[in-house]
Amino acid sequence: MLKPSYPLYVANAAETPNTDLEVRDKYSGEVATRVAMADAATVERAIAAAVEAAPAMAALPPFRRQAVLEHCIARFRERAEELALALCIEAGKPIKDARGEVTRLIDTFRIAAEEAVRIEGQTVNLEISERGRGYRGIWKRVPIGPCSFITPFNFPLNLVAHKVAPAIAAGCPFVLKPAGKTPVGALIIAEILAETDLPRGAFSVFACDNEVAAPLVEDDRIKLLSFTGGLIGWDFKARAGRKKVTLELGGNAACIVDADQGGCLDHVVERLAFGAYYQSGQSCISVQRILAHADVYDALKDKLAAKIATFVAGDPKDEKTFIGPMIDEDAARRLEGWIESARKAGAKVVVGGGRKGNMLEATLLEDVPAHCELQRQEAFGPVALLQRFEDFDSALETANDSDFGLQAGVFTDSLDHAMRAWDRLQVGGVVVGDVPSFRMDNMPYGGVKDSGFGREGVKYAIEDMSEIRLLVIRS
């Protein structure tokens, strides 16, 4: 179980000014714990402390940054089941998936520990003409300075890790606002960071109202804002002023199943079922649109519907549960409305569609009209759409007919089709032979169009959190 209450952290130290935020068990609906909320004065103290800590963080030798990250890794392993249970309760994530996210938390910090001592520069040949004779250039990476991070509810550990771990590796102090519905995981990470010898002010972690968090977006003392969440991120970018901004804003990922997949449909269906319904579809790269060639469409539909029928839905603390609750009833009600709207527009519900509270059945539809929300928007729930195609190029066009562009998947045995997909799909990443939901924590991950810009993946985040400083020497 969770502790009765959790503090917030300002300048590396725990504070409990109140216990105003109720964090509910997403399955039972009961209050699971209470968390301290930050006010405007707390946010100001946190930013000021990060600014003051910036020189000390920049001067922290790489081996000491690495030691901090390695301490965290050891403590995460010791507290792995506690972290998984916290995630299961506050996010409603099935316990097996929650343990998998703890593994990813550890992986992300481990990658950052390795990268902390690899932040290097290079020489630049300046003698490209007579004017450059006798000049030499060298550059290195230096920390950008204080950063602010805002994270969503769906991966309360790993999406925090993808901001916090690179910041420590790069030598940047930070202020983190986790989602108010799921703050506990971030606060446990802060508790572990508080055990280290990071300079005072290196980190602050707290939940707060959105209005109170405005300085994390607008304050010019912050040099980088990294936001993962909804399309409100574009508003944040407009308000951010001169600071660097990176955004990961979701998607409605397409997965293409080519005509040559008839002999391996069982495998394809296993991966589609995972990609579409893992953690109730509450993932930015969840499979939302399945485009299947006419030659395999009917068989794939039947197999996928049969697979969905085997899903166990219920209490996420039960080891057998695959479909847990959505984050709240409003989210489930919204998606239920989208399903009904598509049905009225002519779509067929192949399986599922029912809702009880924040539990929405795993749902598969076909022939959803192009104008429907389920085609145009991010479902962010346990819903997938089936659509047939006759020609591979037309499937690529359909996949691109979206305001989003995070990742796409392609099941094909054709090298030509795989390369054509890589060339033409308007997304940040193309996954061939698997679903778009595949992600390793060292790869450059991010999107285009309304999915945002910038790349996560520790090495690439470190590059965002640093600046190039050039030295020119005349000999």
Side-chain angles (χ1 to χ4, degrees):
M1 301 302 292
L2 301 181
K3 297 177 184 178
S5 64
Y6 290 84
L8 55 78
Y9 286 81
V10 177
N12 308 33
E15 298 181 6
T16 310
N18 56 66
T19 53
D20 288 351
L21 178 61
E22 293 181 345
V23 179
R24 294 186 176 272
D25 181 314
K26 299 307 184 290
Y27 181 69
S28 71
E30 298 175 354
V31 176
T33 188
R34 294 177 182 272
V35 167
M37 289 276 281
D39 60 12
T42 303
V43 175
E44 168 57 31
R45 286 194 294 120
I47 293 173
V51 171
E52 187 174 347
M57 279 294 287
L60 200 65
F63 71 88
R64 286 186 59 193
R65 300 176 196 171
Q66 184 181 61
V68 168
L69 293 161
E70 288 175 341
H71 171 84
C72 293
I73 294 165
R75 295 290 283 137
F76 294 155
R77 286 175 174 150
E78 291 170 3
R79 299 178 66 174
E81 195 63 17
E82 174 193 355
L83 285 160
L85 184 59
L87 185 55
C88 180
I89 293 170
E90 71 169 344
K93 186 169 295 195
I95 188 63
K96 290 184 178 179
D97 296 338
R99 292 189 185 113
E101 186 169 340
V102 174
T103 299
R104 290 187 62 191
L105 166 70
I106 292 167
D107 279 350
T108 303
F109 269 74
R110 179 177 55 81
I111 297 162
E114 295 168 354
E115 292 294 337
V117 293
R118 296 178 185 161
I119 301 173
E120 299 170 343
Q122 65 184 52
T123 60
V124 182
N125 178 20
L126 301 180
E127 294 185 307
I128 59 171
S129 68
E130 181 63 30
R131 188 168 59 88
R133 181 189 292 271
Y135 286 86
R136 299 183 183 186
I138 311 168
W139 65 261
K140 64 178 180 178
R141 292 194 178 275
V142 298
I144 197 170
C147 301
S148 62
F149 304 141
I150 302 175
T151 56
F153 70 80
N154 59 321
F155 284 89
L157 295 177
N158 199 45
L159 292 180
V160 167
H162 269 284
K163 301 183 190 304
V164 167
I168 294 170
C172 294
F174 64 87
V175 181
L176 165 68
K177 176 192 176 297
K181 290 183 172 67
T182 57
V184 175
L187 293 170
I188 294 174
I189 292 172
E191 179 184 338
I192 291 170
L193 282 174
E195 300 168 354
T196 72
D197 62 353
L198 282 171
R200 183 185 180 280
F203 70 92
S204 296
V205 180
F206 47 72
C208 65
D209 292 333
N210 291 338
E211 297 77 11
V212 171
L216 301 183
V217 175
E218 299 168 358
D219 196 308
D220 285 340
R221 291 172 294 176
I222 299 292
K223 302 307 177 186
L224 177 140
L225 164 66
S226 179
F227 173 78
T228 302
L231 294 177
I232 189 67
W234 295 115
D235 176 63
F236 290 171
K237 178 179 179 292
R239 291 161 46 196
R242 298 177 180 179
K243 65 178 63 62
K244 184 185 287 189
V245 177
T246 63
L247 301 174
E248 199 275 88
L249 306 180
N252 60 356
C255 191
I256 298 171
V257 183
D258 211 349
D260 57 14
Q261 298 300 292
C264 54
L265 277 185
D266 288 342
H267 168 70
V268 172
V269 165
E270 284 290 328
R271 296 306 295 159
L272 289 173
F274 166 81
Y277 302 105
Y278 161 74
Q279 71 173 55
S280 296
Q282 295 173 119
S283 169
C284 297
I285 43 178
S286 171
V287 175
Q288 185 167 329
R289 299 177 293 143
I290 302 169
L291 311 177
H293 192 276
D295 289 353
V296 299
Y297 182 91
D298 290 334
L300 185 146
K301 180 178 76 170
D302 291 345
K303 287 177 179 289
L304 187 54
K307 179 65 179 180
I308 293 169
T310 69
F311 291 161
V312 175
D315 187 344
K317 292 183 283 295
D318 188 327
E319 298 279 350
K320 298 187 294 295
T321 294
F322 182 71
I323 299 289
M326 293 185 66
I327 193 65
D328 56 34
E329 189 167 347
D330 285 346
R333 191 181 296 114
R334 167 190 60 80
L335 200 44
E336 179 188 38
W338 287 9
I339 293 168
E340 180 60 17
S341 177
R343 188 190 64 78
K344 288 180 178 178
K348 177 185 175 184
V349 178
V350 178
V351 64
R355 179 186 67 84
K356 183 176 181 181
N358 63 340
M359 293 290 298
L360 184 71
E361 292 177 348
T363 303
L364 181 67
L365 299 96
E366 63 179 345
D367 299 326
V368 176
H371 69 272
C372 290
E373 294 97 336
L374 284 175
Q375 287 279 15
R376 309 308 308 174
Q377 304 299 318
E378 180 177 40
F380 220 67
V383 177
L385 319 180
L386 266 175
Q387 182 175 348
R388 73 179 71 223
F389 70 87
E390 301 282 350
D391 173 74
F392 188 77
D393 285 342
S394 70
L396 297 179
E397 292 175 7
T398 300
N400 282 337
D401 184 19
S402 170
D403 293 334
F404 297 95
L406 192 47
Q407 293 200 154
V410 182
F411 286 94
T412 184
D413 292 334
S414 166
L415 179 60
D416 175 62
H417 283 188
M419 299 304 288
R420 207 181 308 174
W422 189 28
D423 286 341
R424 297 187 187 178
L425 287 175
Q426 299 162 4
V427 293
V430 177
V431 182
V432 175
D434 208 344
V435 290
S437 320
F438 174 83
R439 179 184 179 185
M440 294 300 291
D441 295 299
N442 63 332
M443 72 191 217
Y445 170 80
V448 298
K449 300 193 284 190
D450 271 355
S451 291
F453 58 87
R455 291 294 180 268
E456 291 183 346
V458 174
K459 177 181 177 182
Y460 310 95
I462 288 172
E463 291 176 357
D464 280 334
M465 295 176 192
S466 62
E467 298 174 318
I468 289 175
R469 184 171 296 166
L470 174 67
L471 173 66
V472 176
I473 301 172
R474 181 181 181 185
S475 58

